[in-house]
Amino acid sequence: MKNSAEEVINQLLGDKDLGLRRGNSPEFEYGRIPFGIPALDRLTGGGIPKKRMTILYGANNVGKSYLASQVVANVQLNNGSAAWVDTELSWDGAWMEKCGVDTKTILVSQPANGEEALETVRTLMKASVDVIVLDSIAGLVPITVSNEEFSYNPMAWQARFVNSALPKLLPNLKHGSAFIAI
């Protein structure tokens, strides 16, 4: 005799090793952090999602870091925690204050290499920091490349590094952080 669908579901949910949940489980719910720009908040359904990775992509000097700073400022207005991982060594506290960021409470890291940057992001995610900004993916240079001669240029080294590293961060989003990569 064949088990009903509900019996099969209950049996599978009882197997803790599988880690299965019903699709309407509260674990799958996530909040959003608004940009504070009404039109953009409407367009994005309320802002940047928590427990997710958001990539801000575009040409140079179009406002990607500014948008990220607005998310950070909104988190801070609600007494949330924020961190900025500055791989390009371009952090400007005075400019960030003009954008509304509280520079006294934001955590800033300027890592020496890509591995250090991503380990910092992972640690911040595990600590449930509300929003983490990685500025930027272009600045993620692995140790092996940074220690080579300037003429060293293996094909697609950065793409391979990012494609292998970013998926390792994703399981840590379950701690609740919103991760913004520029």
Side-chain angles (χ1 to χ4, degrees):
M1 180 172 158
K2 186 175 179 185
N3 291 342
S4 72
E6 190 64 28
E7 289 173 333
V8 171
I9 289 169
N10 288 332
Q11 179 183 359
L12 289 170
L13 287 172
D15 187 346
K16 300 297 181 201
D17 292 336
L18 292 177
L20 292 172
R21 311 277 184 287
R22 290 186 183 269
N24 63 352
S25 171
E27 291 180 45
F28 298 124
E29 294 175 9
Y30 57 91
R32 289 188 172 270
I33 303 167
F35 287 98
I37 303 168
L40 190 54
D41 288 335
R42 278 192 307 277
L43 183 66
T44 59
I48 297 292
K50 295 190 89 171
K51 296 185 179 181
R52 303 288 187 268
M53 177 173 72
T54 301
I55 297 178
L56 298 179
Y57 177 79
N60 289 339
N61 299 316
V62 296
K64 299 178 297 288
S65 295
Y66 175 75
L67 285 177
S69 76
Q70 295 311 283
V71 173
V72 166
N74 278 314
V75 163
Q76 291 177 322
L77 283 174
N78 292 307
N79 297 315
S81 55
W84 198 282
V85 180
D86 176 25
T87 63
E88 296 183 345
L89 307 178
S90 60
W91 174 260
D92 183 345
W95 183 77
M96 285 294 179
E97 285 179 359
K98 288 178 184 176
C99 294
V101 173
D102 181 355
T103 58
K104 292 182 285 306
T105 62
I106 191 170
L107 299 171
V108 178
S109 170
Q110 291 185 320
N113 55 61
E115 289 87 350
E116 185 180 319
L118 295 171
E119 191 54 46
T120 299
V121 169
R122 182 187 345 227
T123 300
L124 293 165
M125 286 177 175
K126 287 180 178 178
S128 300
V129 171
D130 291 306
V131 64
I132 303 159
V133 177
L134 173 65
D135 188 7
S136 74
I137 290 174
L140 292 176
V141 179
I143 295 170
T144 56
V145 173
S146 63
N147 289 340
E148 290 292 334
E149 298 293 323
F150 285 110
S151 62
Y152 179 72
N153 190 17
M155 186 182 296
W157 61 266
Q158 189 171 40
R160 285 196 312 273
F161 177 70
V162 171
N163 286 338
S164 68
L166 284 182
K168 294 174 186 172
L169 292 177
L170 297 182
N172 296 291
L173 286 170
K174 67 183 176 195
H175 299 289
S177 298
F179 177 46
I180 301 172
I182 298 173

